[in-house]
Amino acid sequence: MNKEKLEAIKNELEDEKALLEVKIDTLEKGEDFGSDVDSLEEETDESEAWENQSSASQELRQRLADIDLALGKIDKETYGKCEECGEDLGAEMIQINSTSRLCRSCKRLAREGETI
Ligand SMILES: [Zn+2]
């Protein structure tokens, strides 16, 4: 992978990271669920809302961790290689998901392993 391409990916990831941090911050500090409950029905709604909110922020945190990992790899010049076998991921995989950690075949193996 050439330097310019890598630089472009790095910029994209950094942009996304900044955006994610804002989103997580908003989600987690956001509305104060459950503090103003005056009926049972409302309470249920609010705890559901809280659950949705917390799983959404968990997803965002996971994505943030993936991005941090990818950025670290760019710095260490190991970006674009499979964590399992060390093969190049290939431009296609990176285009699909710029934080991919495994090549196509290792990914498939990992997925098969999960289903057992
Ligand atoms: Zn691999």
Side-chain angles (χ1 to χ4, degrees), residues 82 84-85 103 106:
C82 173
E84 252 335 282
C85 66
C103 70
C106 289

Side-chain angles (χ1 to χ4, degrees), residues 83-105:
E83 284 183 10
E84 252 335 282
C85 66
E87 287 291 318
D88 280 337
L89 293 180
E92 200 191 330
M93 281 295 278
I94 287 167
Q95 190 147 27
I96 295 168
N97 178 6
S98 56
T99 59
S100 277
R101 296 165 64 175
L102 300 175
C103 70
R104 197 186 294 262
S105 53

Side-chain angles (χ1 to χ4, degrees), residues 40-51:
L40 194 63
E41 204 182 334
E42 249 180 57
E43 192 176 8
T44 312
D45 282 351
E46 282 184 0
S47 87
E48 251 173 53
W50 188 85
E51 253 170 54

Side-chain angles (χ1 to χ4, degrees), residues 59-115:
E59 252 171 60
L60 295 177
R61 282 192 176 281
Q62 182 57 50
R63 177 74 186 147
L64 192 64
D66 286 345
I67 289 174
D68 271 335
L69 205 79
L71 285 171
K73 284 189 206 167
I74 290 173
D75 283 341
K76 280 184 265 166
E77 295 178 357
T78 57
Y79 181 79
K81 296 210 186 308
C82 173
E83 284 183 10
E84 252 335 282
C85 66
E87 287 291 318
D88 280 337
L89 293 180
E92 200 191 330
M93 281 295 278
I94 287 167
Q95 190 147 27
I96 295 168
N97 178 6
S98 56
T99 59
S100 277
R101 296 165 64 175
L102 300 175
C103 70
R104 197 186 294 262
S105 53
C106 289
K107 205 168 206 161
R108 199 174 55 222
L109 281 175
R111 209 173 285 154
E112 278 167 9
E114 270 170 28
T115 57

